[in-house]
Amino acid sequence: MRERFPAWRDVRDASEADLVAALRPGGLAAQKGPRIQAVLRAVDGLDLDWLATVPPEEAMAWLVALPGVGPKTASCVLLFSLDVPVMPVDTHIHRIAGRVGLTPAGTSADAAHAILTAMTPPARMLDAHLLLITHGRTTCTARRPRCDECVLLDLCDYGRALRT
């Protein structure tokens, strides 16, 4: 998308069909294209830098009020674009947090954002996010977790139960 539309105003003003075509390699293009354009039309001046100057909870609330923006997308914008220390929770992080007991059983991914943000030191938020995703892709996989290789096994009831 960024190759085809180098500036956000280019994305906003593109035909929906052209944007969907540019997004197609990333998946869900038919959903993402219209949502991205709706958000860009709703954002005054295409500048979100001001979000870094307000409390993270306020920034999150403002972002999730935009059409099609949920906690994961809002957290990614804040952490990756504005260096606001919030924990984006994807499927890997949600799975690990549940297995290791960082979140109570039955906690939704949306609810896990606030829990994991509160327990992660702000200066380590990005590192923790990236390390958890890597761990979820390589070791704590959904179908066949490699518990025997896991550095977190001593903390993980799920992994210890699998080994018995």
Side-chain angles (χ1 to χ4, degrees):
M1 177 187 85
R2 298 301 276 168
E3 287 177 15
R4 173 72 177 86
F5 306 106
W8 287 117
R9 70 182 49 74
D10 299 331
V11 175
R12 180 194 61 203
D13 298 339
S15 75
E16 185 178 307
D18 286 346
L19 181 57
V20 167
L23 291 169
R24 188 158 282 112
L28 301 173
Q31 288 178 320
K32 290 178 183 175
R35 287 181 181 173
I36 290 169
Q37 287 183 316
V39 167
L40 291 173
R41 290 181 183 119
V43 176
D44 185 34
L46 302 177
D47 180 10
L48 299 180
D49 289 344
W50 65 272
L51 288 171
T53 68
V54 300
E57 302 80 21
E58 186 178 326
M60 283 288 292
W62 188 86
L63 285 167
V64 298
L66 294 169
V69 176
K72 178 182 165 190
T73 299
S75 296
C76 286
V77 167
L78 292 173
L79 182 62
F80 292 109
S81 297
L82 301 171
D83 201 27
V84 174
V86 296
M87 179 62 74
V89 177
D90 72 348
T91 186
H92 303 294
I93 292 173
H94 186 240
R95 178 175 59 252
I96 293 166
R99 285 179 176 174
V100 175
L102 296 175
T103 55
T107 300
S108 70
D110 287 352
H113 288 269
I115 295 168
L116 296 174
T117 293
M119 71 174 50
T120 306
R124 299 301 314 249
M125 197 70 66
L126 179 59
D127 289 338
H129 174 77
L130 296 173
L131 288 168
L132 285 167
I133 288 174
T134 299
H135 187 68
R137 289 178 178 165
T138 61
T139 305
C140 193
T141 58
R143 292 192 181 140
R144 291 187 187 94
R146 297 157 65 162
C147 299
D148 289 337
E149 301 171 24
C150 183
V151 297
L152 302 176
L153 186 59
D154 290 345
L155 306 172
C156 184
D157 292 337
Y158 178 89
R160 286 194 311 270
L162 283 181
R163 295 181 72 208
T164 57

